[in-house]
Amino acid sequence: MKKPITIISVFVCLLGGFAEAQDAHFSQFDKLPMVLNPGLAGLNFKTQANATYRSQWTSINAAFNSIASSFDQRIQGKGKNSFFGVGLSAISDYTGSRLGSGLDIKMGGSGHIKLNEMSTLGLGIQAGLIQKTINAGGLQWGSQYDGNAYNPALLNAEGIALNNVKSLDAAAGIVYSYNESDFLRITGNKTFQFTTGLTVSHLNKPKNSFNGSDERLPMKFAAFGNSLVSLPNSTLSIGPSFLYQLQGKFSELLVGTRFRFMLQEASKFTGFRTASAASLGVYLRNKDALIAMLQYEISNYSIGFSYDMNISSLKSYSNLRGGFEISLRYAAPNPFGGGKSRI
């Protein structure tokens, strides 16, 4: 079979799942906790809201864009050694030319127990709806090439039967967290934080085909680790992290670290001075991209920017340009010094 004439049809095929499809991925994966693992609901903050925008492949005719949001809330249990969390996530994908789009909305909850003064173990589940839409009338196919030029009068042999696919979807996750600080307090550089977990997505293998076949979205397994270690007698903290994902025959490994500089500590009594910090990060998505990250935090808010420089076999087409990502976060209590305990 000849390849489709337009590159954009490749993106829509990937979106629609004519072959085994991958989920959308984000370089700043830690900024979307409810997308990463439902067990993170209510873990890091009592209230947390996140939003991320990602645009990639802008060097090709039509970029692929993703808008994602995540919200989670902690609910205190009856005892001091347990708490619960609820959360919501939403991801919207679309091509720049609007030939294809996707929507993924899930709600979930988690339960956490305190193993000791510094560590917790949590389990989470979530469920929701995924929807994918394709505008088949805007596509050109290899079967419509008559040997000399594109002929729209020829039939599409690839056989798109459906323009819209909807399926129920479910995921589950387990999370372990260790924290020596008082509610993620980094003031004074006396903290050691580490969170790791495992997520299994698409537990029910939802349908994922526009041609009416019984093709299913394969289960996805994701393991992650985030940390923050403050160096004594300095304003510097180091935060190594990793994310490994496996879905069908596709796998992805992202590893790197950020360097966090305390710009200003909050005044302890007057409240006239607001704490702030800036981070620089370098990450590698194996065989795909080199990622640079900037982040600025002040009080309860943070903003992050990252850029993927493509180093894969597609670099001759992308001119090393991959995609950029912007993230926003609100967290309460203030991450620079909140309550006396995380739970």
Side-chain angles (χ1 to χ4, degrees):
M1 181 185 297
K2 295 183 178 65
K3 293 182 179 180
I5 294 176
T6 56
I7 295 179
I8 185 58
S9 62
V10 176
F11 287 99
V12 179
C13 286
L14 291 175
L15 176 69
F18 288 98
E20 283 188 306
Q22 278 183 288
D23 289 346
H25 60 202
F26 296 90
S27 296
Q28 301 179 58
F29 64 89
D30 59 317
K31 303 303 189 300
L32 294 168
M34 291 305 297
V35 174
L36 179 61
N37 188 309
L40 290 170
L43 175 62
N44 291 324
F45 304 100
K46 291 183 178 179
T47 302
Q48 182 177 194
N50 298 267
T52 297
Y53 171 76
R54 178 179 176 86
S55 181
Q56 61 191 66
W57 304 114
T58 54
S59 57
I60 301 177
N61 189 29
F64 192 83
N65 304 284
S66 299
I67 300 174
S69 59
S70 173
F71 174 83
D72 62 287
Q73 176 72 44
R74 182 185 308 171
I75 302 173
Q76 184 61 50
K78 293 183 179 180
K80 295 183 178 181
N81 294 324
S82 66
F83 63 95
F84 302 92
V86 293
L88 172 69
S89 69
I91 304 175
S92 175
D93 298 311
Y94 61 93
T95 63
S97 55
R98 299 288 178 172
L99 287 177
S101 63
L103 181 64
D104 184 334
I105 299 177
K106 291 186 176 68
M107 295 184 65
S110 66
H112 301 263
I113 58 173
K114 188 175 182 180
L115 302 178
N116 53 50
E117 291 298 322
M118 298 180 184
S119 59
T120 63
L121 182 66
L123 295 171
I125 57 172
Q126 63 182 186
L129 177 71
I130 57 175
Q131 175 180 292
K132 296 183 179 181
T133 304
I134 188 171
N135 178 14
L139 299 178
Q140 300 176 10
W141 301 93
S143 59
Q144 295 174 306
Y145 183 74
D146 62 11
N148 295 311
Y150 167 67
N151 184 353
L154 295 178
L155 295 178
N156 164 26
E158 279 75 8
I160 294 180
L162 302 171
N163 291 331
N164 189 294
V165 176
K166 296 180 181 178
S167 300
L168 296 177
D169 193 22
I174 183 171
V175 173
Y176 169 80
S177 178
Y178 179 87
N179 194 332
E180 292 184 354
S181 60
D182 291 337
F183 199 86
L184 302 181
R185 185 191 303 268
I186 63 148
T187 305
N189 277 353
K190 296 180 180 178
T191 188
F192 180 90
Q193 307 165 18
F194 177 69
T195 304
T196 186
L198 176 66
T199 312
V200 183
S201 303
H202 312 310
L203 289 169
N204 58 322
K205 296 183 178 180
K207 287 187 176 181
N208 188 55
S209 176
F210 287 109
N211 60 15
S213 69
D214 193 42
E215 181 185 333
R216 301 276 176 164
L217 196 61
M219 286 194 293
K220 182 176 74 173
F221 303 88
F224 76 94
N226 288 318
S227 65
L228 186 64
V229 181
S230 299
L231 303 185
N233 304 316
S234 75
T235 60
L236 175 63
S237 300
I238 301 176
S241 63
F242 78 90
L243 172 66
Y244 177 75
Q245 300 187 95
L246 176 65
Q247 185 176 16
K249 63 182 180 180
F250 300 103
S251 64
E252 173 185 283
L253 174 63
L254 191 155
V255 61
T257 190
R258 64 177 174 131
F259 302 90
R260 192 175 190 271
F261 301 90
M262 194 73 182
L263 301 178
Q264 179 175 269
E265 292 191 9
S267 54
K268 295 182 179 180
F269 302 106
T270 64
F272 294 152
R273 193 171 59 200
T274 301
S276 61
S279 298
L280 301 174
V282 179
Y283 302 86
L284 175 67
R285 182 180 294 113
N286 191 35
K287 299 181 180 180
D288 181 45
L290 185 65
I291 304 165
M293 186 274 290
L294 297 173
Q295 180 177 307
Y296 177 68
E297 300 168 80
I298 181 168
S299 186
N300 303 79
Y301 304 91
S302 76
I303 181 170
F305 176 84
S306 61
Y307 187 83
D308 296 14
M309 184 175 70
N310 177 243
I311 57 173
S312 72
S313 57
L314 294 175
K315 61 185 178 182
S316 58
Y317 297 98
S318 66
N319 296 317
L320 299 179
R321 289 177 289 177
F324 70 89
E325 194 170 300
I326 299 174
S327 68
L328 299 172
R329 185 191 71 190
Y330 169 81
N334 189 331
F336 292 98
K340 295 182 179 179
S341 174
R342 295 168 50 208
I343 62 175

